[in-house]
Amino acid sequence: MSTKATFYHAGCGVCVDAEQQFAESLDTTKYDVEIVHLGEAPSRLAEAEAAGVKSVPAFVIGGQPYHINFGASLDALK
Amino acid sequence: MSTKATFYHAGCGVCVDAEQQFAESLDTTKYDVEIVHLGEAPSRLAEAEAAGVKSVPAFVIGGQPYHINFGASLDALK
């Protein structure tokens, strides 16, 4: 069974780069990847924050946040 | 042709977690992943630093550094 991996981003340059290098490059037999653009889906901000996401781009895998470099803080997207 | 992706770590908890979630989960048809323990291979510190790595765990892909969360600064490993 594949694990859910949610990639949160905001369309920034750092985000797009991380999306190409990681979100589109994970083993799909291991992960079920969902890509969420928080600028377009602000209703998802609360779930990202609840999982511990402080900035984008970031993954949430198994409930744990993984921040990749720094594009924008979550506060800046509210 | 697969792209070289080097994962630098130092055996810390944050590092081991990132290794399992990312370094062991990338699409191996896309990336040729090398895992480098900087505590055991301090001679590799210079190349990591030259690529812009500031802390571990981090990947270098296509010459660009990608820091995943924060385990330890590179300075702390010297």
Side-chain angles (χ1 to χ4, degrees):
Chain A
M1 207 185 81
S2 56
T3 301
K4 180 76 182 288
T6 309
F7 179 72
Y8 295 99
H9 74 108
C12 58
V14 173
C15 297
V16 170
D17 187 37
E19 182 176 339
Q20 291 169 343
Q21 303 289 24
F22 293 96
E24 296 175 359
S25 306
L26 288 170
D27 182 347
T28 52
T29 64
K30 187 164 176 179
Y31 289 127
D32 173 22
V33 180
E34 182 191 11
I35 295 174
V36 177
H37 188 315
L38 288 173
E40 294 171 357
S43 62
R44 306 285 299 267
L45 274 164
E47 71 176 47
E49 198 164 29
V53 173
K54 304 290 188 199
S55 61
V56 289
F59 279 92
V60 172
I61 301 175
Q64 296 300 310
Y66 297 91
H67 299 89
I68 298 182
N69 290 346
F70 180 86
S73 73
L74 222 60
D75 287 340
L77 303 175
K78 288 178 185 171
Chain B
M1 208 184 82
S2 56
T3 301
K4 181 77 182 285
T6 309
F7 178 73
Y8 296 98
H9 73 107
C12 59
V14 173
C15 297
V16 171
D17 189 37
E19 181 176 340
Q20 291 170 342
Q21 303 290 23
F22 293 95
E24 295 175 1
S25 306
L26 288 170
D27 182 346
T28 52
T29 64
K30 188 165 177 177
Y31 290 127
D32 172 22
V33 180
E34 183 190 11
I35 295 174
V36 177
H37 189 315
L38 288 173
E40 294 172 356
S43 61
R44 305 286 297 268
L45 273 164
E47 71 176 48
E49 198 164 29
V53 173
K54 304 288 186 200
S55 61
V56 288
F59 279 92
V60 172
I61 301 175
Q64 296 300 309
Y66 297 91
H67 299 89
I68 298 183
N69 290 345
F70 180 85
S73 72
L74 223 61
D75 286 339
L77 304 175
K78 287 177 185 170

